[in-house]
Amino acid sequence: MQRSATRRSLRTTAAAIATTALLLGAAGCAPDQAAPGGELVWVIEGGNLANGHMDPHSSQLDVSAYTLRNVYDSLVFLNADGTFEPWLATEWAVSEDQRTYTFQLRQDVTFHDGTRFDAAAAVRNFEHIFAPETASAQAASSLGGERFAGAEATGEFELTLRLKDPFGPLLTNLSTAFVGFISPKVLDSASQDALRAGGPEVTVGTGPFKLTEYVPNQRLVFDRNEAYAWAPASLAQPNSVRLLDRLVVRIVPEESARYGALTSGQAQVATDVSQFTVDQLMAQADQPQSIAVNVSKSPGMPYSAILNWGRDVFADERVRDAFRLGINVEEAVFGVYRTGRQRAWSALSPSTPNAYDASLEGKYGYDPARAEALLDEAGWTERDADGYRVKNGKRLTAEWLSWLPFDDEKRALVNFFIADLKEIGFELRHEAVEGGEYQARYADGNGMILDFDITDWGFASLDADILRNHLHSKGRQNASQVADPALDALLGQAATLSAPEERATIYRQIQQWNAEHVAYVPIVPSTFEVLQIPSGVLGLQYDAYGWPLFHGVQYHGVG
Amino acid sequence: MTRTTAQRVGSRFLRPGALWRALGRRISAAALVLWGAASLAFLVLAAVPGDPVDIMLGPHSTASPEARADIRERWGLNLPLWQQYLLALWRPLTGDFGISYQQQRPVTAILAEQLPHTLLLAVVAMALAIAIAVGAAAFTRRGIFRSIVQLLEPVAVAAPTFWLALTLASVFSYGLGWFPAIGGNPVQQLVLPAIALAVPLAGTLGQLLRDGLDEADRQPFAETARARGLGTVGLVWRHTLRHAASGTVTMAGTLFGWLLGGAVLVESVFARPGLGRVALDAIMGRDLQVVMALVLFAGVVFVIITLVVDALVAFLDPRTRRGGDRA
Amino acid sequence: MSLITALQAGQQRASAASTWRRLLAVAPAVLILILVVFAAFFPGLFAEEANLRPNPGAVALPPSAEHWLGTDLSGRDIYTRIVFGTGLTLSVGIRVVLVAGLIGLVVGLLAGLGPRWLDAAITRVTEVLLAFPELLIALAVVAILGRGPESVVIGVTTALLPAYLRQGRVYSVLARSTGFVEAAKVLGVPRRRIAVRHIMPSVARPLLVLMILGFGSAVTTAAGLTFLGLGMESGVDEWGVMMQEGRNRLGDAWWITSMAGFALLITVVAVSWLGRWVARTVQRGER
């Protein structure tokens, strides 16, 4: 009796286990059906978006701009060929002295919460950008910073922007999502903290999509704005076309997961993938059913090593030059990116409109002999036991500080540089720390701390004026601590002019200046890749940054 | 320790008055533990370098000092430390768990949203681990299977969770495509992460169980049972498993804490929502409110589990049930 | 030869044979550990330091005759990195268990021998620490102290400490109530002598076992910390770091992560094998 009871209970247990296993197996094998008719999943890395970067007016992160582009419109749209198209503004005029811009606004635009878009609403937005609590990290300076005198509603649908001095890049920067328009009702009622945190109640714009759900670090869900009728001409679609109903942006930290999601059909569009993945895909490009890659070379400042002149090591220009000549950037970039990218030679990347100085290509390349000579000249003649140069008992060391996340490719680059510099007796040490710690060592808000010899970044920008942030003595991101009045004058002049050729000439001079004095060492231009599945997604377009625009996308779900 | 305590508690099941006293003692001890944990968490967070305001603003923020001071004041970060500490202790008692300054929404909302995912993962992983461990230990008492399993167990224990997770994801998800990388139904989403968590646990539990079973086998009652003709399986099921289980169940309590830690790794790899990632972000971001809430939550869970475990042990171990002789 | 002598001789031979068998059971683990320890102290015997140099032309190469275990994302030879990383990887684990064991011993003795309130206090503190998940404790500590081997050691020690505290206390209390100690107390033997001669050995033995078995836990937890970004600094030659570096290339360059992973696995398994053998021998000795 005991025996049979035991056997029965055992049989039941075994049956339960087997059934569970079968169920799990069956569930695991069933393919996930793609949503029919109009729901697209876009996977991004999305780091830092949740840390208060959901307000484009205050954020400086690219991810804020390209995700929130779906919700916020701009005054004008910048075409690939550099011309401007009406968007929320139907026409505009610039005064003779280039200090006054007058925009006629569309009269049929409403925000997602029903508020009307008019000149008053626009003015409210400009006020918000320059308000102290907003702590704008990019929008304000992209509108000229101190040059911006104010915005005024000179008519119900007429907006006037005034500048203290002419500012060439103004119109270009007005086309970005950083200067997108938030509903004035939200601006008046929500706190700045709430705006930065984001959410369906505060992320309210005029865009083709509304933010209907936001789970920080997980996903953003955008639903189509049915009332949207004011797309720029290039992006507009005839009414007959059935556009995307819903865009789901999924935040996925692991790169292999993003790529895996795309290949397995969980996502249809992906960004933030490694060069290696891109290379693989390009190699398969001619095969049918292969994933399509759109690679755009980011205009603006390439990924560079910023040298801090304020500390002992790099105060001497010869040492800076030796650093630049002592690293074999070409081989390093090839080792990491293969043929996918060429090294950067200049302070601006080649795709920056009307500015790139191609004459710098090939100059100041890898020259260890010259680097060693320079270091000897600078007095670093003795060596210590490990082979590094010493002067007055101090070793020749440079501390390189980066912030996390720091991807594998950059890490490999740094490793190569460390090895190269070791050969000429220069010690390079690298550390990548959390955003908060990085910020603490970068600046304390009262003055610059800049606790590093080298830091690194690239900065995508549609206009070469971005250099003013980095090289002007009063620049907001002047980590090199450059203070050259002649350079300041050049930068100011270039910002004031509007004729592209004149500006280009000056920017060439500025790039030469950097090549001579080495404020930063350009390493490799940044790129922005967008991957999409081979079929089913139509109408995906790209803006001047190379960021995807979902305005006119149709998605025919594949079962 | 727990066995002795359980024996004491178990025997007192027979006397109601003493039961309440015992319960009261436990609860006051638990309150002490919670207070200690909360204080420790506060101290730890106060010591993490980096200004929370900087973390909120992100790298290369060009916020003016006034703007920073404004943020600081709004979050009560300029209060003296001891005041912040008292507030941190007082508020949860009133049900106010504060607002996460990273995500700018109530902490309770974050917990309510993320907890079920982690809990589900932990429970499934635990169940899986127990099933594997019991199967491995109980059904491979002798012979070549025993040797094989004995060889595999230390490997299972030694395998780092994140490596397991990465490899499983790489092979079965991105490689063979059997499981979705993101999305999919809840069952699909659970399988690989649960396996990654369960394997090391199963190894540990299996070893413990096996040792317990071996030990129990040597006891006199086992010989008696065998003499009465009880087969191996019956013996295992009715007698020795109970003995061995009490030791394992005790461990299982603390192993649940390990699971929560492992969840951090697994949730990172599989991009799963859950408390693990929330905890990681909060620690790195010095998000005081979130960390305090998590600490209190962990403390409460731990206390509950300890109570449950003690009760279970008292129930399982026949020696304590009778409330009599110690072995 | 008399029957008794013959029987005795037979018994001796039998026990010698079983001793031989027992030693054989643990021999592979010991061999592996000897190799590993040698690699930790004399890496130059096993590999050439020159191969540690990053090489842009040799990025992510698969295992071959020239690179036995392949190369990593910076073109460094993986086999060489593993060999030169042995010391750092192991030292973290060893330091953790040594410190934890020592603290466990001292605190255990204090709890067992000291006044009741001390015992109660120590138990409470242990419970507080037990309430937190291990990994998160270690994470918080490294978040405070910054990355690097020192912080990792302190963090992981703190995380694994409760188990040692509890063991120390339990065995100390158990030992205290044995007949030996009661008798010694009655006889007026000074406390310290009781502690050292009677109690400490019975506490130290299980702690030693816990230390050996805990080594694996310590090293694996450290690797987990590194994976999350709050552990060892990137770029150093350490097995956890190497595993983290290759995590995006598991699909094609799996050797970058997995070789270091196998090294870790083998070492930890060998140590735990040894540990269980020691535990069983100690148990047998006590019986």
Side-chain angles (χ1 to χ4, degrees):
Chain A
M1 308 335 95
Q2 270 179 349
R3 226 172 275 175
S4 53
T6 318
R7 242 187 248 138
R8 231 184 300 132
S9 59
L10 262 176
R11 267 203 296 260
T12 332
T13 323
I17 297 179
T19 322
T20 321
L22 257 164
L23 280 173
L24 281 178
C29 291
D32 205 27
Q33 297 289 335
E39 176 174 323
L40 198 78
V41 177
W42 177 21
V43 284
I44 65 174
E45 195 210 356
N48 283 317
L49 191 61
N51 291 344
H53 288 275
M54 287 288 282
D55 174 12
H57 291 175
S58 76
S59 171
Q60 73 278 29
L61 301 184
D62 290 348
V63 62
S64 308
Y66 62 69
T67 44
L68 298 174
R69 175 87 285 179
N70 297 301
V71 171
Y72 298 119
D73 293 331
S74 297
L75 283 177
V76 296
F77 180 74
L78 181 59
N79 278 321
D81 59 7
T83 58
F84 293 99
E85 256 178 45
W87 195 348
L88 290 181
T90 51
E91 49 185 87
W92 54 91
V94 186
S95 67
E96 278 278 331
D97 63 357
Q98 315 213 348
R99 288 184 165 91
T100 312
Y101 287 67
T102 314
F103 296 86
Q104 305 302 326
L105 305 175
R106 285 188 75 118
Q107 310 199 0
D108 59 343
V109 180
T110 50
F111 289 93
H112 301 145
D113 61 0
T115 324
R116 198 178 60 164
F117 173 74
D118 54 15
V123 168
R124 184 75 189 84
N125 270 270
F126 286 102
E127 284 171 6
H128 182 251
I129 289 174
F130 284 94
E133 312 84 64
T134 308
S136 169
Q138 179 149 352
S141 58
S142 78
L143 293 176
E146 276 158 15
R147 294 184 187 211
F148 190 80
E152 194 189 326
T154 44
E156 199 186 353
F157 291 100
E158 185 180 279
L159 171 72
T160 303
L161 299 180
R162 290 186 225 282
L163 300 168
K164 294 191 196 127
D165 285 309
F167 185 59
L170 184 65
L171 211 53
T172 306
N173 293 335
L174 279 172
S175 75
T176 66
F178 290 106
V179 193
F181 291 95
I182 306 177
S183 161
K185 193 151 71 169
V186 168
L187 289 177
D188 286 332
S189 60
S191 69
Q192 181 55 34
D193 287 332
L195 266 178
R196 289 154 49 114
E201 299 84 39
V202 293
T203 310
V204 177
T206 58
F209 290 92
K210 307 183 215 200
L211 182 66
T212 49
E213 189 189 336
Y214 175 47
V215 181
N217 285 324
Q218 296 289 333
R219 63 180 173 276
L220 300 89
V221 179
F222 299 98
D223 281 325
R224 159 93 30 201
N225 177 10
E226 298 296 341
Y228 195 74
W230 42 88
S234 311
L235 301 179
Q237 300 285 330
N239 276 338
S240 53
V241 172
R242 176 78 195 287
L243 294 175
L244 195 62
D245 285 329
R246 168 175 284 197
L247 172 67
V248 178
V249 177
R250 286 270 274 133
I251 294 174
V252 178
E254 286 290 317
E255 196 237 333
S256 32
R258 291 195 288 278
Y259 184 58
L262 199 65
T263 50
S264 65
Q266 244 65 47
Q268 289 75 40
V269 179
T271 51
D272 302 310
V273 289
S274 67
Q275 184 65 37
F276 173 74
T277 309
V278 169
D279 286 343
Q280 266 195 318
L281 290 172
M282 303 285 246
Q284 302 164 357
D286 46 353
Q287 286 173 23
Q289 293 308 310
S290 69
I291 293 176
V293 189
N294 178 288
V295 180
S296 54
K297 304 190 200 284
S298 306
M301 197 177 143
Y303 177 67
S304 314
I306 324 284
L307 306 184
N308 181 359
W309 294 12
R311 302 226 305 194
D312 291 338
V313 180
F314 288 124
D316 186 336
E317 185 172 302
R318 287 171 299 198
V319 178
R320 298 199 296 268
D321 204 1
F323 174 85
R324 171 182 46 186
L325 296 171
I327 52 177
N328 192 342
V329 178
E330 256 171 292
E331 259 198 32
V333 166
F334 180 75
V336 173
Y337 298 102
R338 298 293 155 171
T339 49
R341 292 200 225 176
Q342 306 296 315
R343 73 154 289 179
W345 293 100
S346 165
L348 288 171
S349 64
S351 54
T352 316
N354 303 316
Y356 181 62
D357 185 355
S359 73
L360 284 171
E361 286 178 15
K363 286 209 190 150
Y364 307 109
Y366 183 50
D367 191 348
R370 175 110 186 89
E372 299 220 61
L374 282 166
L375 289 174
D376 286 333
E377 235 182 274
W380 294 92
T381 40
E382 292 159 30
R383 304 263 181 157
D384 68 9
D386 295 318
Y388 293 111
R389 295 169 181 264
V390 216
K391 184 161 85 168
N392 301 331
K394 251 190 96 195
R395 184 189 274 192
L396 181 60
T397 309
E399 313 259 349
W400 182 328
L401 185 70
S402 308
W403 76 84
L404 292 171
F406 193 65
D407 64 42
D408 295 336
E409 290 152 352
K410 291 187 191 149
R411 229 178 254 291
L413 286 174
V414 172
N415 284 340
F416 294 135
F417 297 157
I418 293 175
D420 287 336
L421 288 172
K422 187 164 183 205
E423 308 249 301
I424 61 171
F426 199 149
E427 186 187 23
L428 179 62
R429 298 216 300 247
H430 177 258
E431 203 185 342
V433 299
E434 291 314 310
E437 195 184 332
Y438 179 84
Q439 189 61 32
R441 290 168 68 172
Y442 180 85
D444 68 349
N446 292 321
M448 306 300 238
I449 292 187
L450 298 176
D451 179 28
F452 51 78
D453 296 307
I454 309 175
T455 189
D456 60 299
W457 60 66
F459 216 106
S461 169
L462 299 176
D463 193 289
D465 183 56
I466 192 66
L467 288 179
R468 205 156 47 89
N469 269 352
H470 296 94
L471 294 178
H472 194 286
S473 56
K474 294 216 221 69
R476 311 205 89 178
Q477 233 173 306
N478 179 10
S480 310
Q481 300 191 58
V482 172
D484 184 338
L487 183 64
D488 284 357
L490 282 177
L491 287 165
Q493 218 187 341
T496 311
L497 296 171
S498 50
E501 305 79 41
E502 292 175 10
R503 298 185 74 207
T505 313
I506 302 184
Y507 281 121
R508 270 195 284 274
Q509 286 180 273
I510 295 175
Q511 288 166 77
Q512 298 278 351
W513 186 97
N514 181 58
E516 199 186 316
H517 299 288
V518 197
Y520 55 87
V521 181
I523 300 174
V524 65
S526 308
T527 56
F528 192 83
E529 296 94 6
V530 180
L531 277 55
Q532 68 179 82
I533 56 169
S535 52
V537 179
L538 296 175
L540 188 63
Q541 290 177 285
Y542 303 92
D543 67 6
Y545 285 101
W547 299 339
L549 296 167
F550 290 88
H551 288 60
V553 168
Q554 310 157 52
Y555 176 46
H556 305 295
V558 181
Chain B
M1 167 186 82
T2 318
R3 185 169 284 185
T4 337
T5 322
Q7 284 168 345
R8 269 187 259 126
V9 174
S11 60
R12 278 180 188 148
F13 274 157
L14 308 174
R15 288 175 287 165
L19 176 61
W20 288 118
R21 255 181 285 141
L23 208 62
R25 225 181 319 231
R26 287 314 224 116
I27 291 183
S28 55
L32 208 65
V33 168
L34 283 176
W35 170 79
S39 306
L40 194 61
F42 182 85
L43 280 172
V44 161
L45 279 178
V48 173
D51 193 344
V53 178
D54 288 325
I55 289 153
M56 285 159 63
L57 293 174
H60 300 297
S61 164
T62 45
S64 62
E66 296 84 39
R68 275 173 209 268
D70 188 47
I71 295 176
R72 201 181 302 275
E73 190 185 317
R74 225 135 18 105
W75 286 99
L77 292 169
N78 54 356
L79 289 171
L81 213 57
W82 64 268
Q83 272 189 21
Q84 292 186 41
Y85 171 61
L86 287 176
L87 279 174
L89 286 183
W90 171 247
R91 286 211 188 105
L93 291 174
T94 58
D96 173 14
F97 287 94
I99 311 225
S100 152
Y101 59 66
Q102 270 182 324
Q103 295 188 23
Q104 295 281 327
R105 52 189 186 130
V107 175
T108 35
I110 300 177
L111 280 184
E113 201 180 74
Q114 304 289 326
L115 176 62
H117 300 282
T118 306
L119 215 54
L120 184 62
L121 178 63
V123 166
V124 170
M126 190 66 150
L128 196 60
I130 292 177
I132 298 176
V134 167
F139 295 110
T140 56
R141 305 290 300 131
R142 290 161 222 306
I144 181 148
F145 287 114
R146 181 190 169 110
S147 309
I148 293 179
V149 173
Q150 264 192 310
L151 224 59
L152 284 177
E153 268 165 3
V155 176
V157 177
T161 311
F162 68 91
W163 188 30
L164 261 176
L166 280 175
T167 313
L168 283 171
S170 181
V171 172
F172 295 103
S173 185
Y174 319 141
L176 294 170
W178 290 2
F179 299 94
I182 58 170
N185 64 58
V187 174
Q188 286 175 308
Q189 281 181 327
L190 267 178
V191 175
L192 292 180
I195 294 177
L197 270 183
V199 165
L201 207 56
T204 316
L205 288 177
Q207 281 180 329
L208 275 170
L209 208 53
R210 180 189 308 284
D211 287 345
L213 283 174
D214 287 345
E215 181 72 31
D217 254 354
R218 280 190 278 267
Q219 299 290 336
F221 76 84
E223 299 227 7
T224 328
R226 251 186 258 276
R228 274 165 48 210
L230 201 54
T232 315
V233 175
L235 184 68
V236 164
W237 190 246
R238 294 206 109 219
H239 297 282
T240 51
L241 198 60
R242 289 243 194 97
H243 278 261
S246 57
T248 317
V249 165
T250 318
M251 279 296 307
T254 36
L255 284 176
F256 198 80
W258 178 89
L259 269 176
L260 290 181
V264 181
L265 296 164
V266 165
E267 282 165 10
S268 279
V269 172
F270 289 99
R272 268 184 70 84
L275 282 185
R277 278 169 69 183
V278 170
L280 186 62
D281 290 334
I283 289 176
M284 306 238 252
R286 277 194 65 194
D287 199 342
L288 181 71
Q289 312 287 4
V290 175
V291 174
M292 290 296 280
L294 284 174
V295 163
L296 292 170
F297 167 73
V300 166
V301 165
F302 172 72
V303 161
I304 293 178
I305 289 186
T306 318
L307 281 171
V308 166
V309 158
D310 280 349
L312 255 176
V313 166
F315 175 71
L316 278 177
D317 195 336
R319 288 170 286 179
T320 58
R321 262 165 114 198
R322 263 174 285 123
D325 37 306
R326 306 181 181 186
Chain C
M1 205 192 287
S2 76
L3 187 62
I4 295 180
T5 333
L7 275 170
Q8 276 177 339
Q11 243 182 0
Q12 273 174 344
R13 269 204 305 275
S15 63
S18 72
T19 318
W20 191 231
R21 250 207 313 270
R22 275 213 312 280
L23 284 176
L24 211 61
V26 83
V30 173
L31 274 172
I32 293 175
L33 288 176
I34 291 178
L35 265 177
V36 166
V37 168
F38 259 87
F41 283 105
F42 307 109
L45 285 180
F46 296 86
E48 279 191 41
E49 196 163 3
N51 291 332
L52 286 177
R53 194 185 183 283
N55 182 354
V59 168
L61 295 176
S64 64
E66 195 189 337
H67 298 285
W68 293 351
L69 300 180
T71 61
D72 67 5
L73 291 176
S74 299
R76 292 173 288 195
D77 180 55
I78 289 180
Y79 169 72
T80 315
R81 273 193 88 191
I82 289 181
V83 167
F84 277 88
T86 313
L88 189 55
T89 316
L90 293 188
S91 78
V92 169
I94 291 178
R95 279 194 285 174
V96 167
V97 295
L98 272 179
V99 174
L102 214 64
I103 296 181
L105 183 65
V106 168
V107 171
L109 285 175
L110 279 175
L113 292 175
R116 288 271 156 197
W117 60 264
L118 190 59
D119 183 13
I122 290 178
T123 317
R124 293 293 151 251
V125 170
T126 313
E127 283 186 3
V128 166
L129 284 177
L130 273 174
F132 296 83
E134 296 175 346
L135 193 63
L136 292 175
I137 296 181
L139 267 175
V141 171
V142 179
I144 300 175
L145 298 175
R147 291 174 191 78
E150 312 306 325
S151 324
V152 170
V153 168
I154 296 176
V156 178
T157 307
T158 316
L160 299 183
L161 202 54
Y164 292 80
L165 288 178
R166 188 162 58 174
Q167 283 281 60
R169 188 197 159 274
V170 166
Y171 281 95
S172 178
V173 167
L174 270 176
R176 160 175 79 187
S177 50
T178 60
F180 282 120
V181 176
E182 299 283 352
K185 273 204 199 145
V186 164
L187 286 175
V189 178
R191 270 252 182 99
R192 208 178 309 144
R193 261 195 89 177
I194 301 182
V196 171
R197 294 210 70 200
H198 298 290
I199 300 190
M200 192 160 80
S202 27
V203 177
R205 240 174 285 135
L207 272 181
L208 194 68
V209 171
L210 192 64
M211 281 162 65
I212 301 182
L213 290 173
F215 174 82
S217 223
V219 177
T220 319
T221 309
L225 286 177
T226 306
F227 175 75
L228 291 172
L230 273 180
M232 310 290 287
E233 302 128 330
S234 296
V236 302
D237 296 323
E238 197 261 351
W239 298 351
V241 172
M242 293 173 70
M243 292 178 75
Q244 193 252 13
E245 283 175 2
R247 77 190 181 292
N248 284 322
R249 300 288 289 266
L250 271 184
D252 66 298
W254 54 268
W255 50 90
I256 302 177
T257 291
S258 301
M259 293 305 179
F262 286 128
L264 196 69
L265 199 63
I266 292 172
T267 310
V268 170
V269 168
V271 170
S272 72
W273 194 340
L274 179 67
R276 283 174 70 75
W277 182 85
V278 168
R280 246 171 283 140
T281 312
V282 160
Q283 263 181 348
R284 231 172 265 141
E286 277 169 357
R287 249 189 265 123

